[in-house]
Amino acid sequence: MFRKITLTGLLLGGIYSVIASPALAAESVLYASTVGVDTLWVLLAAFLVFFMQAGFGMVEAGFIRAKNTCNILTKNFLDFCMASLGFFIFGYAIMFGEGNSFMGYSGWFLRGAESGSDIPLFAFWLFQAAFCGAAATIVAGGMAERMKFSAYLTYSFLISAFIYPLVGHWVWGGGWLSRLHFADFAGSTVVHAVGGFAALIGTIVLKPRLGKYNTDGSANMIAGHSIPLASLGVFILWFGWFGFNPGSTLSVGDGSLISRVAINTNLAAATGGILAMATVWRMFGKPDLSMAMNGALAGLVAITAPCAFVEPWAAIAIGAFAGIIVVLGVVLLDKLQIDDPVGAVPVHGLNGIWGTLAVGIFGRESLGLAYDGLLYGGGMMQVGIQSLGVIAVVGFVLIAMGTLFKVIDATIGLRVTREEELKGLDIGEHGMESYAGFQVFTTS
């Protein structure tokens, strides 16, 4: 009897295998295809975010003087080099490794590391490394035209290896802010506020450029040398942001989430540019293109956190406020005699905060948020969580980066000499000119 049951069981098992195998094989193929498509999508997004380095370089080069163009482009170029190594050796382990609520501590050099999503580890790492490089390069513009190149390289490696990954772990790596349901979909706080407030404390420690402020406190206009270059940079950044925000979905799905994120990204940028232009036109009598471009960037920064959680009408409102904030921020910095040559602090710092808080105002639980925003009857719960996160991150960055810049200043020095600043950092730091035969040996 036992023998018959065994043979019968084997026969039935064989029949089941014949019937089930095609279904299991089809399911396996479908899963592999889905992962493949998602991987391709994230890699394409990573390439777009990487291309944003060129956008940052063009914007910053256009907004500063010709004699410092080679220097700022070299910093942008080396930023991604330093970020790639720092994030590979230390940063990924701190940000996504197993650890505690404060930091991860496994996966150094990616040994034994795991992907933070369903896509392969190396694809996920590349996407995150591109974000890390973006955060680091923001500071170059805020501290432009007077910071030592050696000091900048030191800063760039350390923020990429330690400072940025710590904040990233709190929000995206399972840290304490993520457990509180702090929401930052693509990095208004994690990327832009970190870079913006690092630029703020850096430029305060570094002090203004020669000739920027008068003894009576008034500011002198130090115009950038190429609006066309800056315009090209803004278009590149706007284009790259379609990888930055939609790519943060980390999967294609049915396309609905990617589509919502993309349209919100575009609407916020457009409205930010219009409102910044209108604001500066009203205040100073002229529709300043440079301010309109920074307004578009401000809208992009502001929508980065809430882009997945809000409706398109809300994206328009968020971008509109961002355009106004960037103009008022530039005016405020000049009154405080904080010299930010390209507007890095108003664009990335102030609007990084605004975008993060906007999640708690305009966000919807039905779109993936933990709690409805203030305008949808959720009260102050999500606003309070977002505010706590902003305070914690900004406070940490100001203290950590302020200490770092002070240490760099006390050791290798943070600022070039007066002579080098007057001649230009292209000559003083690199021994070359961006525009041969057109070197200007003044502060104008």
Side-chain angles (χ1 to χ4, degrees):
M1 182 68 180
F2 177 78
R3 186 185 182 93
K4 289 181 179 179
I5 293 173
T6 303
L7 290 174
T8 302
L10 289 173
L11 181 61
L12 291 173
I15 294 171
Y16 175 78
S17 297
V18 171
I19 296 172
S21 291
L24 292 174
E27 184 179 344
S28 178
V29 170
L30 179 62
Y31 175 76
S33 299
T34 301
V35 172
V37 170
D38 290 344
T39 302
L40 178 61
W41 164 244
V42 173
L43 284 174
L44 287 173
F47 303 154
L48 284 173
V49 178
F50 167 74
F51 189 49
M52 289 173 71
Q53 292 290 135
F56 280 116
M58 295 299 98
V59 169
E60 292 167 7
F63 281 161
I64 64 170
R65 290 165 290 183
K67 62 183 180 180
N68 298 309
T69 305
C70 174
N71 177 261
I72 202 71
L73 292 176
T74 308
K75 288 173 178 174
N76 274 273
F77 179 79
L78 268 297
D79 253 327
F80 197 77
C81 298
M82 302 301 284
S84 294
L85 290 178
F87 196 70
F88 176 78
I89 298 169
F90 302 110
Y92 188 87
I94 294 171
M95 192 163 173
F96 293 105
E98 293 184 7
N100 52 37
S101 294
F102 183 72
M103 65 175 288
Y105 42 75
S106 65
W108 313 107
F109 292 88
L110 295 188
R111 293 178 62 88
E114 296 182 359
S115 174
S117 72
D118 291 335
I119 63 174
L121 170 63
F122 292 166
F124 183 73
W125 177 88
L126 185 63
F127 184 71
Q128 296 299 333
F131 271 52
C132 181
T137 202
I138 291 168
V139 179
M143 302 177 72
E145 300 202 289
R146 71 266 201 213
M147 184 180 185
K148 275 187 177 181
F149 182 64
S150 57
Y152 187 83
L153 290 183
T154 303
Y155 140 81
S156 182
F157 182 84
L158 292 176
I159 194 174
S160 303
F162 303 107
I163 306 300
Y164 168 80
L166 276 172
V167 175
H169 181 78
W170 297 353
V171 179
W172 294 337
W176 67 278
L177 281 176
S178 68
R179 296 177 187 180
L180 293 175
H181 302 297
F182 177 82
D184 183 0
F185 186 75
S188 288
T189 287
V190 176
V191 177
H192 297 284
V194 167
F197 281 93
L200 174 63
I201 192 66
T203 194
I204 290 173
V205 173
L206 193 58
K207 297 182 174 54
R209 291 168 290 175
L210 296 174
K212 175 61 179 176
Y213 297 109
N214 301 311
T215 54
D216 62 359
S218 60
N220 295 314
M221 177 65 173
I222 301 180
H225 85 284
S226 178
I227 289 297
L229 266 186
S231 301
L232 174 63
V234 171
F235 278 119
I236 291 173
L237 287 171
W238 194 330
F239 176 64
W241 234 285
F242 291 120
F244 205 99
N245 287 359
S248 294
T249 60
L250 299 177
S251 66
V252 173
D254 65 359
S256 59
L257 178 57
I258 292 173
S259 302
R260 182 169 68 252
V261 170
I263 190 174
N264 286 343
T265 299
N266 193 69
L267 289 173
T271 314
I274 292 170
L275 264 293
M277 182 191 69
T279 303
V280 75
W281 199 348
R282 177 66 182 271
M283 292 177 67
F284 301 105
K286 297 290 183 181
D288 187 327
L289 174 58
S290 64
M291 198 64 80
M293 292 190 295
N294 265 345
L297 296 180
L300 289 165
V301 169
I303 199 60
T304 298
C307 56
F309 309 122
V310 300
E311 300 286 356
W313 73 265
I316 292 174
I318 291 167
F321 280 107
I324 297 170
I325 288 169
V326 75
V327 176
L328 298 181
V330 169
V331 173
L332 176 62
L333 289 186
D334 267 345
K335 289 186 180 298
L336 298 175
Q337 295 194 7
I338 297 174
D339 185 13
D340 177 1
V342 306
V345 177
V347 170
H348 300 279
L350 299 184
N351 278 292
I353 289 178
W354 160 237
T356 305
L357 297 178
V359 174
I361 300 172
F362 299 97
R364 299 188 64 179
E365 185 178 357
S366 61
L367 297 180
L369 202 59
Y371 308 99
D372 273 327
L374 182 63
L375 295 184
Y376 289 93
M380 294 296 292
M381 177 62 78
Q382 193 67 49
V383 175
I385 295 171
Q386 300 300 110
S387 300
L388 174 63
V390 163
I391 292 169
V393 170
V394 171
F396 169 72
V397 169
L398 290 176
I399 293 170
M401 294 309 302
T403 303
L404 175 61
F405 284 131
K406 284 288 188 181
V407 170
I408 292 174
D409 192 32
T411 51
I412 63 177
L414 198 62
R415 184 164 182 151
V416 299
T417 65
R418 176 184 175 85
E419 180 183 3
E420 286 176 318
E421 186 173 345
L422 291 174
K423 286 184 177 180
L425 275 63
D426 288 3
I427 293 292
E429 291 274 80
H430 306 283
M432 61 191 304
E433 296 175 283
S434 298
Y435 307 97
F438 292 92
Q439 187 63 42
V440 180
F441 294 90
T442 68
T443 57
S444 62

